[in-house]
Amino acid sequence: MSTPTLKQAPLQNGTRVLGVGAYRPDVIVTNEDVCQWIDSSDEWIRQRTGIVTRHRAPADVSVIDMAEGAAREALERAGVDPSELGAVIVSTVTHPYATPSAAASLTDRLGATPAPAFDISAACAGYCYGIAQADALVRSGAAKYVLVVGAEKLSDVIDNTERTISFLLGDGAGAVVIGPSDTPGIGPSVWGSDGSKWDAIGMTHSMLDIRDHAAGKGALSEGEAAVTEAALWPTLRQDGQTVFRWAVWEMAKVAQQALDAAGVKAEDLAAFIPHQANMRIIDEMAKQLKLPESVIIARDIAEAGNTSAASIPLATHRLLQDNPGLSGGLALQIGFGAGLVFGAQVIVLP
Ligand SMILES: CC(C)(COP(=O)(O)OP(=O)(O)OC[C@H]1O[C@@H](n2cnc3c(N)ncnc32)[C@H](O)[C@@H]1OP(=O)(O)O)[C@@H](O)C(=O)NCCC(=O)NCCS
């Protein structure tokens, strides 16, 4: 008996970003607020990071609530009905359930059931990982439209009194709809990881440590003789200098590879939208890429802080709002963070 040849979905020529949406929670935290909790100053934070304010979500606003706000705007701008979505991807490290995913609930709320739905855990590279996935899904014919959301409630996993990372972080969500295009609107993704630096950014301890501690089986970490309820909750820490050096030296190379892979030069770009981690990292990358002055650089970090997976779509949303003329131009985007992981691609702005 001969094996029948399987049918395959027809391949698409290209994909593009059809619409962007944003959700910025109401509570604004200033550098003065931060300095009540840590030994720092408004001047130091502005000079060393470029951050002036960050947004935080109140207790009754969840990662899924913020994701929904951003997703609804992206769908409306894209002119895509939720029922047309072939997949829903949420990039997040702050959805407080290992399972079920934030994406499954979001899909239900949007009225996109039974679209496949899953979360991506790739920290600040999560959005670019989502774009890589969505591009592949649409081009392979596995989905016609894909919703990609970066949503983070980092305020749930910080300790305001620690000084390595908490003062940098904010909450928010950004979303895009990816769909088919006659001409390529998303260049090849350059993405990867370096798990040898797994310890450079991450949580103070694991959920298993909490269980073991509750069962009287051990301390959480060195020096925590008097463990308080608050100390049981895992929060973020980083080795700032290691991450800074890696971002400046290695990520500029990745950004250049994304330009090369797309067959474009720095002077062809209309915008540069890097992960909003530190203004000095942004400036240094722009310098290494030799971006001409004509390239508009996203600097959402000043107002929004570092929102991890949400940072690039939030920055894109603001850039288009402030510069509508950028629409149709090329933007280089690059995300990088805990893992360590990274992802970059050149896109045509919606
Ligand atoms: C965290 C970060 C802002 C710290 O800035 P930095 O210039 O590297 O600071 P350093 O750690 O070298 O410390 C320099 C001095 O500032 C002090 N300092 C550190 N954090 C401070 C803070 N929050 N407020 C005030 N002073 C601070 C240090 O104590 C040190 O003082 P000293 O010289 O008297 O010893 C920076 O390393 C950074 O942005 N790293 C990358 C972060 C990142 O991108 N993370 C997420 C990736 S997704």
Side-chain angles (χ1 to χ4, degrees):
M1 198 179 79
S2 67
T3 309
T5 307
L6 295 181
K7 278 195 204 167
Q8 285 200 312
L11 300 179
Q12 294 294 326
N13 281 337
T15 58
R16 61 182 296 154
V17 178
L18 300 173
V20 190
Y23 182 97
R24 296 177 191 268
D26 292 339
V27 182
I28 307 268
V29 175
T30 65
N31 290 343
E32 284 77 17
D33 294 330
V34 164
C35 293
Q36 295 166 25
W37 306 314
I38 58 169
D39 178 16
S40 192
S41 67
D42 175 46
E43 192 194 2
W44 192 94
I45 297 173
R46 284 181 195 237
Q47 275 181 3
R48 305 304 288 172
T49 73
I51 298 171
V52 181
T53 57
R54 65 291 280 147
H55 293 238
R56 292 204 178 152
D60 61 350
V61 173
S62 70
V63 165
I64 299 170
D65 294 331
M66 292 191 283
E68 182 182 353
R72 287 196 185 280
E73 184 187 347
L75 285 161
E76 199 182 312
R77 286 182 183 270
V80 170
D81 190 84
S83 65
E84 297 178 280
L85 290 174
V88 173
I89 301 174
V90 176
S91 295
T92 183
V93 290
T94 48
H95 171 54
Y97 295 82
T99 196
S101 67
S105 171
L106 176 64
T107 301
D108 174 53
R109 286 196 193 186
L110 294 172
T113 304
F118 57 97
D119 293 356
I120 292 180
S121 172
C124 310
Y127 174 73
C128 291
Y129 268 47
I131 296 300
Q133 294 268 291
D135 170 52
L137 289 171
V138 174
R139 254 184 319 129
S140 70
K144 185 166 182 195
Y145 299 108
V146 178
L147 175 68
V148 179
V149 187
E152 301 287 9
K153 193 173 181 188
L154 290 156
S155 58
D156 274 345
V157 293
I158 61 173
D159 166 4
N160 275 328
T161 63
E162 79 78 45
R163 218 164 68 135
T164 69
I165 195 165
S166 302
F167 69 106
L168 303 169
L169 305 176
D171 300 339
V176 290
V177 178
I178 306 296
S181 166
D182 293 337
T183 52
I186 299 178
S189 293
V190 176
W191 54 333
S193 68
D194 178 4
S196 72
K197 295 191 180 63
W198 204 78
D199 290 335
I201 322 176
M203 311 304 291
T204 43
H205 47 266
S206 83
M207 292 194 288
L208 297 181
D209 291 328
I210 305 174
R211 181 196 63 187
D212 291 350
H213 180 80
K217 280 201 233 156
L220 288 172
S221 61
E222 241 175 81
E224 284 196 79
V227 174
T228 62
E229 286 290 314
L232 277 171
W233 180 244
T235 53
L236 282 163
R237 294 286 187 281
Q238 73 167 342
D239 174 355
Q241 284 192 17
T242 299
V243 181
F244 191 93
R245 279 195 295 266
W246 172 76
V248 164
W249 297 114
E250 303 304 323
M251 293 306 100
K253 293 180 207 159
V254 170
Q256 184 61 51
Q257 285 164 18
L259 286 176
D260 296 344
V264 299
K265 300 208 168 347
E267 51 269 31
D268 298 323
L269 294 173
F272 177 47
I273 314 176
H275 170 47
Q276 305 288 296
N278 184 315
M279 202 71 91
R280 288 187 293 142
I281 295 176
I282 295 172
D283 288 338
E284 191 54 44
M285 286 175 79
K287 201 166 110 190
Q288 290 191 39
L289 289 165
K290 299 189 173 62
L291 296 185
E293 297 224 331
S294 58
V295 179
I296 299 184
I297 300 175
R299 298 184 184 281
D300 195 37
I301 187 171
E303 199 269 341
N306 176 349
T307 57
S308 194
S311 95
I312 294 174
L314 278 175
T316 307
H317 186 270
R318 188 186 295 276
L319 211 60
L320 287 168
Q321 207 164 42
D322 295 349
N323 310 274
L326 286 177
S327 178
L330 294 179
L332 168 64
Q333 58 185 27
I334 176 164
F336 48 86
L340 298 173
V341 289
F342 56 87
Q345 51 270 116
V346 178
I347 63 156
V348 174
L349 288 165

